[in-house]
Amino acid sequence: MLIRRIELREIHLALLHPFETSFGRTTERHIILIRVEDADEAEGWGECVADEKPHYNEEWTESAWPVLERFLAPMAIGVDLASAAAIHSIFEHIRGNRMAKAAIETAVWDLDARRQGQPLWKLLGGTKTEIACGVSIGLQPSIDALLTKIEREIASGYQRIKIKIKPGHDIDLVRAVRNRFPDIQLMADANSAYTLDINIKLGRVGGHVEVRRIEALCRERGIPVWCGGMLEAGIGRAHNIALSTLAGFVLPGDVSASERYWDEDIIDPPVTVTPRGTIVPLAKPGIGFEVKRGRLDSLTVRKKIIDAAS
């Protein structure tokens, strides 16, 4: 598998509703997308999950772009890869920058799965033909507003509710939710405003190779894990679906429907959730979804092609 061309593209995608955490309020995502192409003109897609500002960690959109353009993409061009997993070692001597690395790494996994004519989730070693879904709810203007939103998500079938909290807005929120909904699976997430929480986020750990290592380690020790979300658009969401089929992902994750975030996603079909609060991975090759090129073109604010001649 010889990578001959990598396309970097930044899109701006407005959220349907503002999403507030202890870091601040997000109304629009600035997302870097990666398209890799091999010598046979097959393609694969990945998504960089870095935020618009360096609040979640040190990576952000404006730091990820030059790392991808000047270092990671040129390193991948012209390399003959035995498998998708091999790209991980190509990037080993670049310190940190896991979200940028994961953007290319996941695109190569998608490419490899498409070349082999099998779904990405099967290539990763996934075993689940249906994954349980939860939702992450940002900070709301009032407790009543939070309870109303939770009630709506439960009615939609979601199996786990995660609420955002922060110092000064925590115990009262959790107590009100638990009193109103005593039987739901409930998580509270402060986005490291107190201490680091334990879940697996594809971009945060550096890609599918690291996800599989962590999942195997936890599964062997009986530690349940779930898939965390980073307000991904459809490509990143599709990769999250694939990794969530691994056997160790036993808790409902943050993988939810496209319609909760976007008036129109960048993939076809959009991600949907069944009435029982699950997602059924698609049987098509690669991530299983088609990228909507016209939609991408209308959202693109910058684009760069990197190949052997660059």
Side-chain angles (χ1 to χ4, degrees), residues 55-112:
H55 291 167
Y56 181 81
N57 64 10
E58 72 283 358
E59 285 188 84
W60 62 304
T61 306
E62 293 302 323
S63 71
W65 183 278
V67 170
L68 286 160
E69 179 183 2
R70 295 175 55 192
F71 297 98
L72 299 177
M75 291 168 64
I77 297 295
V79 177
D80 193 4
L81 302 170
S83 68
I87 193 68
H88 182 77
S89 61
I90 301 297
F91 298 151
E92 278 186 337
H93 71 277
I94 298 294
R95 299 286 184 93
N97 295 286
R98 292 185 179 89
M99 293 178 177
K101 291 177 181 177
I104 294 182
E105 195 248 33
T106 54
V108 172
W109 275 95
D110 181 34
L111 170 64
D112 196 8

Side-chain angles (χ1 to χ4, degrees), residues 87-268:
I87 193 68
H88 182 77
S89 61
I90 301 297
F91 298 151
E92 278 186 337
H93 71 277
I94 298 294
R95 299 286 184 93
N97 295 286
R98 292 185 179 89
M99 293 178 177
K101 291 177 181 177
I104 294 182
E105 195 248 33
T106 54
V108 172
W109 275 95
D110 181 34
L111 170 64
D112 196 8
R114 291 175 191 252
R115 284 171 53 91
Q116 296 187 40
Q118 66 172 311
L120 173 61
W121 62 274
K122 288 190 176 181
L123 182 61
L124 289 171
T127 59
K128 298 180 180 180
T129 56
E130 193 170 27
I131 63 171
C133 301
V135 291
S136 180
I137 299 176
L139 289 162
Q140 300 298 306
S142 69
I143 289 179
D144 285 342
L146 174 62
L147 296 176
T148 298
K149 197 169 185 68
I150 291 173
E151 191 166 33
R152 185 161 57 246
E153 302 294 6
I154 292 173
S156 296
Y158 286 104
Q159 298 185 21
R160 183 227 63 192
I161 301 295
K162 183 173 76 174
I163 62 172
K164 296 294 184 179
I165 61 174
K166 64 180 180 179
H169 296 277
D170 40 32
I171 294 176
D172 54 339
L173 297 183
V174 176
R175 180 183 294 118
V177 173
R178 182 50 79 201
N179 286 341
R180 177 75 171 272
F181 306 101
D183 300 322
I184 64 170
Q185 292 190 65
L186 178 64
M187 293 181 180
D189 182 7
N191 289 102
S192 303
Y194 304 102
T195 58
L196 295 176
D197 54 3
I198 301 171
N199 67 5
I200 298 178
K201 295 188 176 184
L202 182 57
R204 183 172 65 186
V205 302
H208 286 302
V209 169
E210 290 298 328
V211 165
R212 296 203 300 173
R213 288 175 179 171
I214 296 169
E215 181 270 341
L217 181 71
C218 291
R219 176 166 38 83
E220 290 165 3
R221 289 158 176 77
I223 302 171
V225 297
W226 73 97
C227 176
M230 294 288 290
L231 295 179
E232 293 91 348
I235 294 170
R237 201 164 295 268
H239 280 284
N240 284 346
I241 292 170
L243 70 87
S244 296
T245 66
L246 296 172
F249 286 81
V250 298
L251 298 174
D254 295 337
V255 189
S256 50
S258 298
E259 66 180 8
R260 293 192 68 248
Y261 299 96
W262 323 112
D263 63 351
E264 181 184 352
D265 209 336
I266 61 174
I267 56 170
D268 186 42

Side-chain angles (χ1 to χ4, degrees), residues 289-305:
F289 299 85
E290 294 301 319
V291 175
K292 302 172 73 169
R293 304 300 179 94
R295 173 72 166 150
L296 285 192
D297 289 341
S298 69
L299 298 170
T300 297
V301 298
R302 58 175 163 173
K303 181 178 175 181
K304 177 74 174 182
I305 302 293

